[in-house]
């Protein structure tokens, strides 16, 4: 049986790792690291031109059980994720005004409002470039944490701290400048939770941008694999609004 708390963890894990899972890092000064990373994932102009995305794939929600997942995002405005578990669709969405979720496993198929904290956290995920082009303007502090080896590869470790004091750690392959691991933190049911996510299978899309097509949330253990990533598709904004009868 799927537990409600488990589904919350899955949503948080997916939303923390879906978007451009590449954010700056590597070799000399922080500025040089960021610039090289931007070049590696497609360049400034391609990132500035990122307006919307639709991502489709599967996620392993427990051993032996995978579920189709679709993510739709309008840059800096709205996000929606749908997971189909055993024929039941679970939805979570945020637009520029509000956030809601439909989780039939709770016993109700009616949309329920998200908390203000959940809405604010999801709104951060709507910025598809993840602030990499304007990290200084946003008051983000980046510090070097040295180098570490991950699966036999030398990686640079950077600590990112936002203006609210929230920190995350990102590891970048020294040879490719791709981000191969990220550690973020989130509060779930009153408890601080560490979310380590690894990234692999990097591919360049027709847009010129590079994305990780395979992600593993080490907290839950199940892989997330994107089968298709559309850049700048037209999205009907009504899908982000709370359904009404």
């Amino acid at each position: 049986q799927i537990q409600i708390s488990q589904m919350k963890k899955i949503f948080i894990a997916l939303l923390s790792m879906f978007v451009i899972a590449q954010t700056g890092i590597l070799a000399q000064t922080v500025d040089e690291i960021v610039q090289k990373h931007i070049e590696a994932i497609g360049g400034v102009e391609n990132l500035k031109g990122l307006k919307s995305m639709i991502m489709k794939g599967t996620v392993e929600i427990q051993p032996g059980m995978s579920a189709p997942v679709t993510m739709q995002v309008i840059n800096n405005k709205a996000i929606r994720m749908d997971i189909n578990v055993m024929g039941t669709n679970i939805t979570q969405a945020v637009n520029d005004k509000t956030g809601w979720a439909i989780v039939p496993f709770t016993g109700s198929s009616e949309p329920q409002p998200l908390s203000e904290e959940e809405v604010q956290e999801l709104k951060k995920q709507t910025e598809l470039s993840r602030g990499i082009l304007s990290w200084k303007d946003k008051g983000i502090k980046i510090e070097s944490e040295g180098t570490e080896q991950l699966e036999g590869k030398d990686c640079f470790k950077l600590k990112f701290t936002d203006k609210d004091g929230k920190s995350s750690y990102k590891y970048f392959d020294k040879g490719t400048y791709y981000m191969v691991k990220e550690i973020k933190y989130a509060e779930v049911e009153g408890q601080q939770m560490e979310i380590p996510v690894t990234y692999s299978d990097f591919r360049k899309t027709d847009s010129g941008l590079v994305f990780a097509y395979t992600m593993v949330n080490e907290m839950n253990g199940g892989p997330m694999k994107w089968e298709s990533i559309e850049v700048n598709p037209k999205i009907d904004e009504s899908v982000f609004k709370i359904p009404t009868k």
Side-chain angles (χ1 to χ4, degrees), residues 162-181:
D162 65 21
K163 63 181 180 181
D164 297 324
K166 294 183 178 180
S167 297
S168 63
Y169 296 88
K170 306 178 192 298
Y171 299 76
F172 296 77
D173 187 313
K174 199 171 182 178
T176 63
Y177 290 80
Y178 296 152
M179 190 177 75
V180 294
K181 184 173 181 176

Side-chain angles (χ1 to χ4, degrees), residues 24 47 114 151 153 157 167 219 233 244:
L47 285 171
L114 297 178
E151 298 185 356
K153 295 181 179 180
K157 178 182 179 181
S167 297
M219 178 187 68
T244 56

Side-chain angles (χ1 to χ4, degrees), residues 83-101:
I83 302 178
N84 191 284
V85 181
M86 297 181 293
T88 299
N89 201 59
I90 301 168
T91 303
Q92 191 172 51
V94 164
N95 57 33
D96 55 358
K97 296 180 180 179
T98 187
W100 55 275

Side-chain angles (χ1 to χ4, degrees), residues 9 20 31 34 37 48 58 64 71-72 76 78 83 93 97 115 128 130 134 137 156 159 162-163 173 191 193 229:
K9 289 181 180 180
I20 280 196
D31 280 8
V34 169
H37 174 66
K48 284 183 176 179
T58 59
M71 192 89 68
Q72 300 180 77
N76 288 318
I83 302 178
K97 296 180 180 179
S115 68
L128 294 177
R130 301 295 291 275
S134 57
D137 295 337
F156 286 83
K159 179 181 180 181
D162 65 21
K163 63 181 180 181
D173 187 313
Q191 295 185 345
M193 183 173 65
I229 296 178

